[in-house]
Amino acid sequence: METVDLYAKKTGGSGWMFSSKTFIFVFSSILVAMFGAAARGEVIVFIVMLWKNWEDFRFIGGEVAGNTSRPVTQPTTEMSSLDKYLSQYHLQFVYFHIAVAFAVSYSIFIVVGGFLQWYFYIKRRDQPETWKCQPKRFLTAKNERHEILLGAFCLFWGSILSGLLVTYISNGGKGCKVYYDVTDYGWFYFVTTTIFNFMYQDAISYYYHRMLHYPFFYRNFHKWHHRYHSPTAFSAVAMHPVESIVFQLLLNVQVFIVPMHYVTVAGCQLYLYYFGLIDHSGIDMDSMWPWQPPVRFHDDHHKYFHVNFGFNTMLFDRYHDTIRHVNRKYAENIFGGKGAPSGEKELK
């Protein structure tokens, strides 16, 4: 089947050579990175977690100031009665973390997301062929409002969940295996678990996403997200709240199973959310990383529905043959990820 050149990186004049177009793409990528950092709130509250554990943090090496497994804040008489109560669950000062997640997430969601929407979808709406994956398709005004409101709603619950999770981790919650000093396990272990965590997130993204495309889950949950047939950056966080929360939990459960360095956890989270925003932006560009698919790979997922389930690599799509083929037919009612022979009726 024909797949080799379908998502090949652009070369020549369309590549990453310096030009005004490239400058805009790089600049917008930086903004989307900020937006991605706030997409669920984890990275922002992880920064707070690092600040609270700064004496224990060692990336290059050196003497550790204390025991990295200790709770950051021990119950004291100076605590409020509420925090004393919460401390038995390792959740003291949780309201602070949740407030930080709320403030930063919504600020960047509105300001940065609004800028990208204005610059590309309003200011350059009359020249979509120069930047858009689907130049002839735009969301309706109703769907644009819907994705912003639904995304804001998901951010609300996501920020609460992030605040709870990171507060528990930063206060030395039982079972948490996040560590701060590379020398605790060594550099080989650090590099190995970073690759493992990246592939774990990619596998979870693929298989959970593909499960959501089974008829029952698609019609009851994931269809909310697929009403955005030509997605924008706002679409990345606009999904059924149940789908969003389950995905968030699956992406974080490994910190209670495998010891992982703070940089590994926070870095992989940022990477995943950054490219999640990029992949939904609708801006036709390639990645600088050889393993990362171009934006049009996931944009085709929204265009053709049950195909191209991966995010950070095409590895699982190629292995399971769920990557889009030019000689196959795809539609919302053709499930399974492999499409149907051209001309065949849709599968119910």
Side-chain angles (χ1 to χ4, degrees):
M1 294 185 180
E2 186 175 350
T3 62
V4 175
D5 298 323
L6 193 59
Y7 298 108
K9 292 185 180 298
K10 297 178 180 179
T11 57
S14 299
W16 280 98
M17 62 185 296
F18 181 80
S19 65
S20 58
K21 179 179 178 181
T22 300
F23 174 79
I24 291 299
F25 281 169
V26 171
F27 179 65
S28 62
S29 295
I30 294 173
L31 293 180
V32 173
M34 295 168 58
F35 190 13
R40 292 292 191 279
E42 276 100 335
V43 175
I44 301 304
V45 286
F46 266 119
I47 292 173
V48 176
M49 184 180 81
L50 175 60
W51 169 65
K52 294 180 70 176
N53 289 273
W54 185 251
E55 290 184 351
D56 289 331
F57 178 72
R58 294 292 187 280
F59 188 68
I60 302 300
E63 295 296 325
V64 182
N67 181 0
T68 57
S69 63
R70 63 168 172 78
V72 174
T73 307
Q74 298 283 1
T76 70
T77 56
E78 298 178 358
M79 279 189 179
S80 66
S81 56
L82 173 60
D83 285 314
K84 287 181 181 179
Y85 173 77
L86 292 173
S87 67
Q88 63 184 313
Y89 304 106
H90 304 282
L91 293 176
Q92 59 270 31
F93 307 117
V94 64
Y95 45 82
F96 171 71
H97 290 132
I98 291 177
V100 170
F102 274 143
V104 179
S105 294
Y106 280 108
S107 295
I108 297 180
F109 181 75
I110 294 170
V111 175
V112 179
F115 172 81
L116 292 172
Q117 195 76 3
W118 167 77
Y119 185 84
F120 287 101
Y121 287 88
I122 297 177
K123 185 178 180 180
R124 304 183 64 186
R125 192 181 184 91
D126 61 342
Q127 44 183 317
E129 65 282 350
T130 65
W131 60 270
K132 201 172 188 302
C133 290
Q134 300 183 57
K136 296 183 179 180
R137 300 183 75 183
F138 286 85
L139 293 180
T140 63
K142 180 179 180 180
N143 275 343
E144 286 183 346
R145 291 192 297 270
H146 186 276
E147 68 173 355
I148 293 173
L149 292 174
L150 181 57
F153 183 73
C154 287
L155 280 180
F156 176 83
W157 293 108
S159 296
I160 291 177
L161 184 58
S162 295
L164 289 169
L165 174 66
V166 178
T167 303
Y168 184 83
I169 293 173
S170 66
N171 287 323
K174 295 179 179 178
C176 172
K177 298 184 181 297
V178 176
Y179 67 97
Y180 300 89
D181 185 358
V182 172
T183 60
D184 284 353
Y185 293 89
W187 280 99
F188 178 78
Y189 183 86
F190 169 77
V191 173
T192 302
T193 50
T194 299
I195 296 173
F196 163 80
N197 193 42
F198 179 86
M199 293 308 302
Y200 168 80
Q201 289 189 345
D202 196 43
I204 286 295
S205 299
Y206 176 87
Y207 290 109
Y208 177 62
H209 188 195
R210 188 173 178 183
M211 182 199 77
L212 290 169
H213 279 264
Y214 290 171
F216 172 81
F217 294 108
Y218 179 78
R219 289 164 180 155
N220 289 282
F221 298 99
H222 198 51
K223 189 179 176 71
W224 285 35
H225 183 64
H226 269 272
R227 70 181 289 166
Y228 316 122
H229 51 73
S230 181
T232 73
F234 287 122
S235 304
V237 293
M239 61 189 75
H240 194 289
V242 173
E243 173 187 339
S244 177
I245 291 173
V246 171
F247 186 46
Q248 195 169 354
L249 290 172
L250 288 173
L251 289 176
N252 287 285
V253 68
Q254 75 274 23
V255 301
F256 297 97
I257 301 173
V258 180
M260 281 188 287
H261 193 272
Y262 161 85
V263 171
T264 294
V265 178
C268 288
Q269 289 279 7
L270 176 58
Y271 184 95
L272 180 68
Y273 291 139
Y274 163 64
F275 276 105
L277 270 295
I278 286 288
D279 286 346
H280 286 86
S281 68
I283 304 169
D284 188 15
M285 56 181 165
D286 298 315
S287 170
M288 293 180 289
W289 307 113
W291 58 82
Q292 184 70 41
V295 173
R296 57 191 175 278
F297 176 78
H298 189 73
D299 199 87
D300 276 354
H301 173 76
H302 280 258
K303 183 178 180 179
Y304 297 102
F305 297 96
H306 309 289
V307 68
N308 293 7
F309 301 112
F311 287 97
N312 290 341
T313 73
M314 292 185 282
L315 177 65
F316 295 100
D317 280 293
R318 292 194 183 281
Y319 178 75
H320 291 289
D321 194 29
T322 55
I323 196 170
R324 185 173 75 88
H325 299 286
V326 295
N327 59 348
R328 303 286 290 180
K329 177 182 178 182
Y330 303 92
E332 189 171 17
N333 291 322
I334 300 179
F335 293 93
K338 300 180 186 297
S342 298
E344 187 172 305
K345 293 184 177 180
E346 296 179 359
L347 305 178
K348 303 295 184 181

